[in-house]
Structures are given as structure tokens and as C-alpha cells.
Amino acid sequence: MRTSGWRSAASWPAWVVYTLIGLVVMAAGTRWIEALMPPVVTGAVVAVIGLNLAAIPIKNMAPTGFDAWMQGLTFLCVGLVAVYTRGMTQRLLILVGLIVATVIYAVLTNGFGLGKPIDLARVASAPWFGAPGFAAPVFDPRAMLLIAPVAIILVAENLGHIKAVSAMTGRDLDPYMGRAFVGDGVATMVSGASGGTGVTTYAENIGVMAATKIYSTAMFVVAALIAVVLGFSPKFGALIQAIPLAVMGGVSIVVFGLIAVAGAKIWVDNRVDFSRNANLIVAAITLVLGTGDYTLRFGDFALGGIGTATFGAIVLYALLGRRDVR
């Protein structure tokens, strides 16, 4: 379960605690968080996010041999656009690569019958305008108490996201960290109140930023407004669902890989010393916990790979980081 995707009101306590942490960061600064989660920890957490999510396209988005080949062709298309084009085409490499791969998929399936053909019947029948579905929140006190401490994961995960963006842009975003935490918490509580998904910083978007090198906040405001408008168009939703699963999987491989590399970039930019045994052990164990999806269960609640890796990195550094044993 991804922490940023919780839907019910059971997750509200975690977001309330997370919002309060954001207010503390705004008032007291980020030094205490950085002491708790130094670059070796945040870099490992960012890398783990990409590596853990990599199992989704590899295992779940290529049900046939043909789909696996199409995934490879898709990330090859994205790579070719990234390297051999310039200007706006290069900026839109994910979108352009997706479109090119979809056209090739249509030719091979609809034209030559090599795989499951693209079906546009739902796109044709879907109305242009329609209200999205809303759902009332469901409160479960037991689940709420259990999930509240997971706010620590949210801090580590989104701290890693912000550090990744800082590494990509070359700007110090620490002064905005508390504001980002508060925005994430409030926005997700509002979304959850109507049955929506989490609206925190998503690693996938950070991967797209790394690929396109577009970091303008104004662009994200425009994108958000467009997304809201398109949310009222069932036809657009049907069009997105018509994109072949294998093509989406190929794009996901690129995006998740870029996230993992962003974690490594945090280590490089902060000159993390891996000759220190503490740093080496923290990074090594964190990467394997996250990539292997090491899961701990507490009754009905399961803490998956990203969560165990995050907690593991923090605890391990707290226990080992003070000693400089080589």
C-alpha cells in the first residue's frame, strides 16, 4: 500500500500528524529533520521508491510475451526522443514516446493481429461532460490509531521527494519544506473527505520532471487546472484507459528508473562517504528492504517495502550513524 494513496478517513490521523509536523518545521526549521534523516537516508529512501515501484510494470503490466516486447519498444522510443530530439519535442519526451509507442502498438495489433487490439468503443460511447464520482469518508477508530504513527513515513518519503527536486534544480528548497508538508496534509484530508486519492508529492511526477527538465511552478498550476477540467470529461478518462497496458508499463519503467537515479544523485551531490561502515550498511539494507518489498504485519495492517525501508533507514542511522567505524 502506498502511503500517498490511502482513500478512507482512517488515514486522516496520519495526515493530521503530518500537517502538525509541517507547522513545526515552518516554525523551527529543518535542522532536526536533517539530523534524523541525513543525505544517506533520504537518498536511499528516494532510490527505494523507484526500485520498489519498478515491480509494478515488470510483473503486472506485461501479461504476454508480446506485451513485454512492447514495453521494451516503449522505453526505447522514450530514450530516442530524449537523446535525438530538441526543443519542445524533447521537453515532452514522455508524451511523445507514449504516442509513438501507441501508434506502433496499434499497427502491430489492430493491423497485424499480434496482440490484444486497441478498442476505442468506450471512447466513442463516453459522454464529453460528466461529474466524477464522490464518496463519503468512512471512519474506523481502530484503523485510525494504527495508521497515525505512519506520518513518519510520509515525512521521510516527501522529504526525499523535495531533496530529489533540490538535487535536480540545484536550488535549496529546505525553506519551503514545512509549507510542502502542510500543503500535502491539508490537500489530502480535503480529497479524502470526498472519496478522492492522496494528492501529495508523487514520485512519478518527479521522474517526469527529471526527464523533461521542466521545473516551473507556474506550469504545475496550469497542469493542475487542466487536470481538474479533464476530470469532468468521461471521454478523456476513457481515452486514457484505452492506452495499452504494455505501453504504460514501458513509460513507467522510465519514470521509476529516473526516481531511483535521483536518489543516487542525492548521494553524489552531498558527497556521502561510503567508506564509512554506517553509511554503507544503512544504504545497503534500505535498498534491499525496499526493492525486495520486505513487509511487516501488525494485525490487519501491512507495512510494505517503502515503509519498512524508510523506518529501517531512520532507525539504522540512529543506531549506527554516531560511530565512524571504517
Side-chain angles (χ1 to χ4, degrees):
M1 178 183 295
R2 291 192 59 198
T3 54
S4 51
W6 297 335
R7 291 174 177 267
S8 77
S11 65
W12 278 18
W15 294 107
V16 171
V17 173
Y18 180 60
T19 302
L20 294 176
I21 293 174
L23 294 174
V24 172
V25 172
M26 291 177 65
T30 63
R31 187 169 299 178
W32 64 278
I33 293 183
E34 292 172 347
L36 186 66
M37 305 175 205
V40 65
V41 172
T42 55
V45 170
V46 172
V48 154
I49 292 170
L51 295 173
N52 179 271
L53 295 176
I56 297 174
I58 299 297
K59 294 182 178 179
N60 302 328
M61 302 179 76
T64 69
F66 172 76
D67 289 329
W69 280 104
M70 277 307 308
Q71 280 189 340
L73 184 60
T74 299
F75 61 67
L76 178 60
C77 288
V78 174
L80 291 173
V81 173
V83 175
Y84 290 103
T85 64
R86 294 292 182 269
M88 184 60 68
T89 302
Q90 189 182 60
R91 296 284 187 178
L92 299 175
L93 75 154
I94 298 293
L95 178 61
V96 173
L98 185 147
I99 292 174
V100 172
T102 300
V103 171
I104 296 174
Y105 183 97
V107 171
L108 295 176
T109 57
N110 296 65
F112 294 95
L114 296 180
K116 182 180 179 181
I118 297 177
D119 184 6
L120 298 178
R122 290 184 60 187
V123 179
S125 61
W128 281 100
F129 302 103
F134 294 96
V138 177
F139 292 90
D140 184 342
R142 179 171 172 270
M144 293 168 74
L145 291 174
L146 182 63
I147 292 177
V150 184
I152 300 299
I153 298 178
L154 301 172
V155 172
E157 184 177 2
N158 289 342
L159 173 68
H161 292 169
I162 295 169
K163 290 292 187 180
V165 175
S166 293
M168 288 187 292
T169 60
R171 293 185 57 185
D172 180 14
L173 299 180
D174 287 356
Y176 304 99
M177 196 172 294
R179 193 185 306 177
F181 290 171
V182 172
D184 283 350
V186 172
T188 300
M189 285 188 285
V190 172
S191 176
S194 58
T197 61
V199 288
T200 69
T201 54
Y202 269 81
E204 293 85 342
N205 292 333
I206 295 172
V208 173
M209 291 168 63
T212 61
K213 295 181 174 57
I214 297 176
Y215 313 116
S216 169
T217 54
M219 181 275 296
F220 284 101
V221 172
V222 173
L225 294 174
I226 294 174
V228 170
V229 172
L230 293 177
F232 288 88
S233 176
K235 189 174 287 294
F236 179 78
L239 179 62
I240 295 298
Q241 292 176 351
I243 297 174
L245 185 65
V247 173
M248 291 299 293
V251 171
S252 298
I253 290 172
V254 176
V255 171
F256 296 155
L258 290 170
I259 298 166
V261 171
K265 191 174 189 299
I266 291 175
W267 290 336
V268 173
D269 291 347
N270 289 276
R271 296 181 173 86
V272 175
D273 183 6
F274 283 109
S275 67
R276 289 189 60 202
N277 286 343
N279 289 341
L280 192 63
I281 293 297
V282 169
I285 293 177
T286 301
L287 291 177
V288 173
L289 290 179
T291 305
D293 200 27
Y294 183 80
T295 302
L296 294 175
R297 299 189 179 277
F298 306 90
D300 296 331
F301 177 74
L303 187 64
I306 293 178
T308 55
T310 299
F311 273 126
I314 294 172
V315 172
L316 281 171
Y317 189 82
L319 293 174
L320 308 176
R322 295 179 182 274
R323 294 184 60 84
D324 190 15
V325 179
R326 296 180 185 273

